[in-house]
Amino acid sequence: MKLIILGAPGSGKGSQAPHLNREYGLVHLATGDILRKNIKEETPLGLEAKEFIDNGKLVPDEIVIKLVEQRISEKECEKGVFFDGFPRTLSQAEQLDKIVKIDKVIYLEVDFSILLKRITGRRSCVCGRTEHIKRLKDNKCECGKTYYQRDDDTEEMVKPRLETFLSQTAPLIDYYKKQGKLITINGDGEVGDIFEVIKEVLN
Ligand code: ATP
Ligand code: MG
């Protein structure tokens, strides 16, 4: 199965990763996570991407498409993947259509007012987990590492990121609707409850 989870920043795409992996064996392919890893390791690609990310802009299509092509060709991905944060532009979607057959696209719909609260209160771990500050007792993730706040998870960065979503990524909703692949789900709720809905629509 090849699945895309589409949604604005903070809509809960990555939070579905452990569930989708456990239930369907899907590998989590998140371009944002791959880019942040490159930035942390100060690779040439990471240094190039950082400037865009720090300004709430998208990293150029050629860069992310190359990353996706690399990852998808790995043996592990044969079991199935779900794309998180990719595609994000029409051009990325068109290129993806040339390399894999997407089965379904789940769009997690959430009000921007909710997204603002979620993103500014979000803490992330290098292992991929995230948690909202209201649920954190200390800053320790269950993997043992320490939660941190992403540089782009600040109030001033939310606006440009949501604007980028509206102008560049939202057109994909129509793109996949026309392909008959789009399933819209209300993303305002508990992660586990939303996964139950996802299971229903996938079965
Ligand atoms: P979320 O808050 O749900 O994690 P997000 O969109 O804010 O979603 P990421 O998906 O982690 O966060 O992406 C972080 C940044 O990395 C984006 O703002 C963008 O600059 C860059 N990026 C990630 N994926 C892509 C992509 N497919 N195309 C272009 N830029 C990307
Ligand atoms: Mg994410």
Side-chain angles (χ1 to χ4, degrees):
M1 179 160 50
K2 303 272 192 305
L3 198 71
I4 293 172
I5 304 217
L6 194 63
S11 57
K13 305 178 294 283
S15 302
Q16 294 299 327
H19 295 287
L20 287 166
N21 183 267
R22 195 189 57 239
E23 188 82 17
Y24 303 104
L26 299 186
V27 171
H28 183 202
L29 203 163
T31 42
D33 290 352
I34 301 174
L35 290 168
R36 275 186 293 280
K37 186 163 178 277
N38 276 277
I39 292 174
K40 192 157 179 275
E41 291 168 0
E42 296 181 348
T43 67
L45 189 146
L47 292 175
E48 198 181 339
K50 189 174 180 343
E51 256 182 65
F52 296 96
I53 295 181
D54 285 350
N55 289 299
K57 298 216 172 86
L58 294 183
V59 174
D61 290 340
E62 315 81 68
I63 297 184
V64 281
I65 286 159
K66 244 183 257 158
L67 288 176
V68 170
E69 275 176 340
Q70 261 170 27
R71 182 75 176 107
I72 198 108
S73 65
E74 289 170 20
K75 182 118 189 79
E76 193 193 2
C77 293
E78 283 172 11
K79 287 178 279 182
V81 295
F82 89 91
F83 295 94
D84 162 3
F86 180 89
R88 248 183 163 89
T89 62
L90 277 175
S91 158
Q92 289 179 17
E94 284 160 5
Q95 307 228 34
L96 182 63
D97 277 342
K98 288 185 196 146
I99 51 175
V100 293
K101 188 188 159 291
I102 297 297
D103 298 295
K104 289 197 168 99
V105 179
I106 292 174
Y107 170 45
L108 290 179
E109 200 172 33
V110 185
D111 273 2
F112 279 14
S113 58
I114 298 173
L115 294 176
L116 177 71
K117 284 185 220 140
R118 282 193 189 175
I119 295 172
T120 51
R122 174 164 67 181
R123 297 297 176 266
S124 304
C125 179
V126 284
C127 77
R129 287 188 184 84
T130 60
E131 193 55 273
H132 196 276
I133 33 172
K134 69 180 181 217
R135 281 187 291 269
L136 278 182
K137 279 176 220 78
D138 52 34
N139 263 337
K140 279 267 172 280
C141 175
E142 60 185 85
C143 78
K145 303 247 168 60
T146 306
Y147 277 110
Y148 69 98
Q149 181 170 24
R150 268 167 54 177
D151 289 342
D152 58 351
D153 276 353
T154 57
E155 201 165 337
E156 58 158 343
M157 288 298 296
V158 174
K159 200 165 166 261
R161 287 166 65 198
L162 292 178
E163 276 165 4
T164 300
F165 172 78
L166 277 181
S167 62
Q168 314 230 69
T169 310
L172 295 183
I173 297 168
D174 239 31
Y175 179 84
Y176 289 116
K177 208 183 269 171
K178 284 192 185 123
Q179 292 191 355
K181 292 178 182 166
L182 191 85
I183 301 162
T184 301
I185 289 180
N186 177 6
D188 179 14
E190 292 298 321
V191 175
D193 295 341
I194 290 163
F195 181 62
E196 290 306 315
V197 181
I198 292 179
K199 267 203 310 200
E200 271 169 40
V201 301
L202 289 183
N203 289 334

